[in-house]
Amino acid sequence: GLPSADLPRLRDLTHDQVFTQELLPSASQLALSDTATAELRSYFTDLVHQRRARPGDDPVSRWIATWDAMEPDRDKADEGVYFLALFVLLAALETTANMLSTTVLLLVEHPEWWEKLAADPGLVPGFVEEALRYDAPTHVISRVAAADCLLDGVEIRKDEMVHLMVGAAHRDPARHSDPDRFDPLRTPGHLAFSGGIHYCLGAPLARMEAHVLLRQLVGRLPRLALAHPPSWAPRVAFRRLLNLDVTLA
């Protein structure tokens, strides 16, 4: 229920905010993240106050009602809703936008699949899963160790930062045969949505969006071709295209 006029600015702020999750962020990137975080906090704090004063049929209003039932302190409840709203924006907008762009790029780079998907839309899910393995929107997941442990012969101490290289795992030849080949017919398997208690709650929605996008593209357009090679943002954790310029082939 956010105003559509706000979405471009929120998108830009999201791009800047996630610099804090980069593998080795620079000082300038962290400064951008700090500035974006402050503006996002102000935006969503105001939004929570507005929806509390004038509740509607929207997620934020429903979250407020749910939080109020659990937390008698209104200030703490509002803070909880703020964090949830911010998290949903960051988790959904950055990763899903990157996934959709990369999936379209892979389709354009493999034109033989355009006709295959158009002729058999049942192949779309396999194409999306392979895109998630081949070039996931998140290549690094960082965690803080809760206790001393030994992981595959590597000692990890409590409170140490551990960087999980998801992109490398997706190209592990011990798990995927010929891992550098894009093959939508291979048996699906990836960590693009994490796993266990950290499994992405938005995974079904992200998949549905990608399925709809591909079906509409191959069903409504004769074919797309790259106008010129795209550029990538200087990132490791969150893969993001800076442009994807195409023409009708």
Side-chain angles (χ1 to χ4, degrees):
L2 301 180
S4 58
D6 294 349
L7 298 182
R9 180 56 181 162
L10 290 173
R11 180 191 60 198
D12 291 341
L13 291 171
T14 298
H15 291 331
D16 287 345
Q17 199 282 336
V18 297
F19 273 125
T20 191
Q21 299 179 54
E22 272 301 314
L23 183 60
L24 296 171
S26 66
S28 59
Q29 289 173 334
L30 289 176
L32 285 172
S33 180
D34 288 344
T35 300
T37 300
E39 187 171 338
L40 286 167
R41 184 181 185 95
S42 176
Y43 181 91
F44 281 103
T45 298
D46 289 344
L47 176 68
V48 171
H49 292 161
Q50 292 167 13
R51 297 294 163 86
R52 179 175 287 285
R54 295 180 298 278
D57 183 22
D58 61 87
V60 175
S61 297
R62 291 193 291 271
W63 291 338
I64 291 172
T66 300
W67 229 270
D68 283 350
M70 300 184 296
E71 174 57 69
D73 187 320
R74 290 293 176 85
D75 290 337
K76 290 183 179 179
D78 284 353
E79 185 178 44
V81 176
Y82 150 71
F83 279 121
L84 181 57
L86 176 63
F87 177 78
V88 167
L89 177 83
L90 297 177
L93 183 59
E94 187 73 9
T95 54
T96 303
N98 295 346
M99 178 194 72
L100 295 176
S101 300
T102 302
T103 301
V104 173
L105 174 62
L106 287 169
L107 179 62
V108 174
E109 289 180 333
H110 298 80
E112 70 276 11
W113 276 94
W114 197 284
E115 285 76 14
K116 291 179 181 178
L117 297 184
D120 184 4
L123 296 173
V124 166
F127 191 99
V128 171
E129 296 307 307
E130 176 66 350
L132 287 165
R133 179 202 71 86
Y134 190 81
D135 197 352
T138 303
H139 278 208
V140 181
I141 298 175
S142 300
R143 294 285 181 263
V144 177
D148 294 345
C149 61
L150 189 67
L151 180 62
D152 198 25
V154 178
E155 289 188 2
I156 300 174
R157 299 299 182 186
K158 183 179 184 298
D159 295 330
E160 282 186 339
M161 180 72 75
V162 180
H163 300 291
L164 310 174
M165 309 303 289
V166 175
H170 288 168
R171 300 295 182 94
D172 184 355
R175 176 65 177 82
H176 304 282
S177 61
D178 197 5
D180 294 330
R181 178 170 57 91
F182 182 73
D183 179 13
L185 297 180
R186 74 168 73 239
T187 301
H190 57 76
L191 296 170
F193 294 119
S194 193
I197 63 172
H198 292 286
Y199 189 74
C200 176
L201 293 177
L205 177 59
R207 283 188 168 103
M208 182 180 70
E209 291 175 329
H211 294 174
V212 171
L213 175 63
L214 288 187
R215 289 191 175 104
Q216 291 297 317
L217 279 177
V218 301
R220 298 177 64 178
L221 297 175
R223 189 188 289 179
L224 296 177
L226 281 177
H228 50 78
S231 300
W232 293 87
R235 298 169 183 253
V236 176
F238 287 94
R239 294 272 287 170
R240 182 165 73 87
L241 285 165
L242 294 176
N243 64 290
L244 181 56
D245 301 316
V246 295
T247 60
L248 285 174

